[in-house]
Structures are given as C-alpha cells and as structure tokens.
C-alpha cells in the first residue's frame, strides 16, 4: 500500500479491506503503526467518537514519532493550536469564534470574486496559446492550484502584492516529498512569520476580511489569542487550498474518464440549469474526493471498533475514499452518477470536525467546473491516462499534473 501504483487506483485494495479487514492495523511509510477504517458505518462512528482525540499528545508512540502525524513543520512553527489538533472544550470555543468569520453571508458576497478569478485564469491560459489552432495547458498548475490560493488569500485579507509569496509557499507544501529536503517545514515557518506580522498590522488597521474578523471575534469575554489567531489563519489557508486543488483536478479527471456524465453536465449547463452541477460536485467528492484519509485521531481509552480492540494511544485513520465507495451505503458505488441524490458522503468529514470551509470549497468547485466546461467545451486529456501520476502523501489525493488540450476559438 501507499506506493505510486497504489496511488493511481487505490479503490480495489480498499474494496478488499472493506470485505476482509474493515478495521486493519498497518505500518505506514513513516514507520507509524495505525488502524485503517474502511467501512462507511465504522468510519461515520469513528469520525464522531469522543474517545478518539485530535490532540497528538494522546499518541502512545515516543515523542519522535509525533512529528510524523501532522502537517510537517507545524510543531516547530508553533502552529498546533488549530481546529485539526484540539478537542472540546477548546475546540468548541475556537470553532464558535472562527465560525463568526466564516458566515454564509461572507461566502455569498465572495461569489462574484471567485467567478472573476476563475475567468482571469482561463483568460491567461488562452492568451498563452498565441493564436495556436490547438491550445495546451497543465490544468493543475495553471488553474486548479492558483484559483483557491488567490481566493483564500483574498478572503483572509492578504494584500495582492504578497499573494505570489503565498503561492510559492503553498507550492512547496503541496509537493510534499517532491521538493528540496526540509522545504515544507521552511515554507510553513515562512508562512507563520508572515501571518504573525499581518495579524499585528491588522490589529492597528482592520479591514473587511477573515483575519480582521478573527481578531475581532469574541463571545462572552472569550477571544482568540495571537497564537490561536495565527494558527487558525494558517489552517484556513492550508486546508482551504489543497483540498480545492484536488477537488478541481480529480473532478475534471473523473469527467474525462466518464464522458457520458461530462456530456450530461455540459448539456445541463448549456440549458442554464444548476441542479446537476450541485449534485454533480457532491458526487465527484464521493467518487474520487480530494481527501483520501481523514486527519489523525488517537484513542484516549481502550474500545472496540469494527470488531477490533483499539488500545489507548493508538492512531486511527478513517479512509474516506473507502467509506464513500461502500456498497452497503451507496448503490453502484464504483459508478459515477452526477444526479445521485442519496449522497451523504464523508468527503468533508462528520461530527464536530466537519469541514468549516465546505461552503467555500463547494463554491470554488462548482464555479471552476462550470466555467471550464462552458468556456473550453472540447477540453480533453492531452496524454494517455497511464502517464498521469498522483502525488504521494497520506491524507490528500491529487494529481501531480493534468495536461489538457482545447480549441481556443471555442471560447
């Protein structure tokens, strides 16, 4: 498991695990032993089980292993106090405060800007073709990657002159093992330094942005400390870009592999309908979503999950990609059906750690796919499927590149 061939198509292995070893203990590439949970019912239980802590302090392994269970560099950069690493009551307090800055009103107000950013990136792709009869692009690096970076930077209140720095840091983080040694930790540290300085500036001159809202957030005397605000801004940025990169990239790839579903969606969009786009993005999240495994959990006491005895301190990883193709929960789970309505997938998690940024991700995913399919209607894969490579890493699932061809004149 977890080599490049497995990453290309992990679903047959997950199907075997669901049937024969639904809660399975394995040694991960990092050397950490962990339980993999693959059935939908067990996964849903685990995601909401209060005996599974998000705090790495509950990990039973020696201290040196703890750095292997989170975002590289976050511990040294003092960025641990965010929603992915804490439990109630601190989680309850922080999520309540942060949710004040992540309202449906703010997402709705941001919709035109997401559309504008999407069109600008497609314009740039077309302009780079210099009148060629057939255009080519890498849809990951030229579109799926910059769109959520610029979007979340603008929501956070990062000045436009600094956004390319964030693009560089994010690029280092998303490459994982593919960049220079220690590059991820350096990028995390640079991002943490910048965010701390930006928070200081916004305390003196707040604006209409998420960071300013985080600074202002208070409830019955509670407020975010400076360290909490910095860690929260970091995780909103980190969680707010890589998931959307993969949602767009995996989604377009799935549509390439299922041309009849892609044609259905294009006909629906051409007719001015939005229903199939909405259910379609949810189905793409279920079918080949951006998050393969939920982030780390650690047992705080012994308990039984899926017939297995979990010991206190054991790491537990919920395999969302396996659970969302469980035939006990989804009819024809290996079939992409954009009109699927009974679709309570776990792509954004479940329980108190349900993704806070899900509305923004849905907005970006729907806008990106609708605009691509409308403005570049003959978009097609430019290389044989077998030449595509998926990025390494434990939590996320996404393509390294997605070479495409299109006819610029069709825009």
């Amino acid at each position: 498991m977890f080599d490049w061939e497995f990453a290309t198509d992990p679903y047959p292995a997950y199907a075997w695990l669901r049937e024969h070893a639904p809660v399975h203990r394995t040694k991960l590439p990092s050397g950490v032993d962990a339980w993999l949970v693959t059935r939908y019912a067990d996964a849903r239980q685990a995601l909401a089980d209060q005996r599974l802590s998000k705090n790495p302090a509950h990990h039973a392994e020696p201290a040196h292993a703890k750095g292997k269970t989170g975002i590289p560099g976050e511990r040294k950069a003092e960025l641990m106090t965010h929603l992915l690493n804490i439990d109630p009551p601190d989680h309850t307090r922080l999520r309540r405060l942060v949710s004040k800055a992540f309202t449906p009103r703010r997402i709705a107000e941001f919709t035109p800007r997401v559309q504008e950013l999407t069109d600008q990136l497609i314009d740039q792709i077309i302009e780079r073709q210099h009148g060629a009869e057939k255009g080519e692009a890498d849809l990951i690096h030229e579109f799926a990657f910059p769109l959520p970076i610029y979007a979340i930077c603008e929501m956070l209140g990062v000045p436009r002159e600094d956004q390319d720095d964030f693009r560089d840091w994010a690029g280092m983080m998303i490459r994982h093992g593919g960049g220079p040694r220690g590059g991820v930790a350096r990028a995390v540290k640079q991002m943490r330094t910048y965010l701390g300085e930006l928070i200081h500036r916004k305390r003196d001159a707040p604006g209409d942005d998420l960071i300013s809202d985080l600074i202002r957030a208070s409830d019955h005397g509670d407020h975010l400390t400076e360290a909490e605000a910095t860690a929260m801004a970091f995780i909103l940025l980190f969680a707010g870009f890589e998931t959307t990169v993969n949602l767009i990239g995996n989604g377009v790839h799935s549509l390439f592999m299922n041309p009849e579903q892609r044609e259905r969606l294009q006909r629906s969009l051409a007719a001015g309908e939005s229903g199939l786009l909405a259910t379609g993005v949810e189905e793409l999240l279920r079918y080949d979503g951006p998050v393969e495994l939920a982030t780390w959990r650690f047992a705080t006491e012994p308990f039984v999950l899926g017939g297995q005895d979990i010991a206190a301190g054991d790491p537990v990883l919920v395999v969302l990609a396996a659970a969302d193709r469980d035939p006990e929960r989804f009819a024809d789970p290996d079939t992409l059906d954009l009109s699927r309505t009974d679709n309570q997938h776990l792509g954004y998690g479940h329980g108190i750690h349900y993704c806070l940024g899900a509305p923004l991700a849905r907005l970006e995913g729907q806008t990106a796919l609708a605009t691509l399919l409308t403005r570049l209607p003959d978009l097609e894969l430019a290389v044989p499927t077998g030449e595509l490579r998926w990025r390494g890493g434990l939590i996320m699932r996404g393509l390294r590149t997605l070479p495409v061809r299109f006819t610029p004149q069709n825009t």
Side-chain angles (χ1 to χ4, degrees), residues 14 19 21 27 54 75-76 109 129 140 151 156 158 164 225 245 253 257 267 278 320 364 382 392 402:
Y14 288 149
E19 183 176 355
K27 186 175 290 294
K54 296 293 292 172
R75 184 179 299 275
K76 287 186 177 180
E109 291 174 348
Q129 307 311 310
I140 299 296
L156 285 169
V158 176
D164 284 337
T225 67
V245 175
H253 175 260
M257 297 301 101
R267 288 196 302 269
L320 304 178
E364 291 173 342
L402 185 57

Side-chain angles (χ1 to χ4, degrees), residues 242-244 246-247 250 285 288-292 395-398:
E242 189 169 6
T243 50
T244 307
N246 296 345
L247 169 58
N250 297 6
L285 282 160
D288 197 12
V291 183
E292 190 165 344
I395 302 298
M396 299 292 182
R397 172 166 172 77

Side-chain angles (χ1 to χ4, degrees), residues 98 101-103 106 152 154-157 208-215 236:
V98 174
F102 231 89
T103 61
R106 181 174 288 281
I152 195 64
E154 293 208 7
M155 285 199 78
L156 285 169
D208 184 22
D209 54 68
L210 274 176
I211 288 181
S212 297
D213 284 353
L214 290 177
I215 293 168
L236 289 174

Side-chain angles (χ1 to χ4, degrees), residues 150-168:
Y150 292 140
I152 195 64
C153 277
E154 293 208 7
M155 285 199 78
L156 285 169
V158 176
R160 293 193 183 183
E161 61 268 22
D162 296 338
Q163 291 179 9
D164 284 337
D165 288 335
F166 268 82
R167 182 172 177 170
D168 292 341

Side-chain angles (χ1 to χ4, degrees), residues 370-384:
T371 309
L372 277 173
L373 294 176
T374 301
R375 294 194 59 189
L376 305 176
D378 67 345
L379 192 71
E380 63 180 3
L381 191 60
V383 299

Side-chain angles (χ1 to χ4, degrees), residues 340-393:
R340 189 186 297 266
T341 53
D342 181 17
N343 195 2
Q344 290 185 321
H345 63 78
L346 301 176
Y348 287 127
H350 172 65
I352 64 170
H353 291 283
Y354 183 83
C355 177
L356 191 67
L360 177 60
R362 286 188 170 101
L363 166 63
E364 291 173 342
Q366 290 182 18
T367 304
L369 290 174
T371 309
L372 277 173
L373 294 176
T374 301
R375 294 194 59 189
L376 305 176
D378 67 345
L379 192 71
E380 63 180 3
L381 191 60
V383 299
T385 306
E387 293 184 13
L388 295 175
R389 290 291 178 267
W390 297 78
R391 287 196 304 272

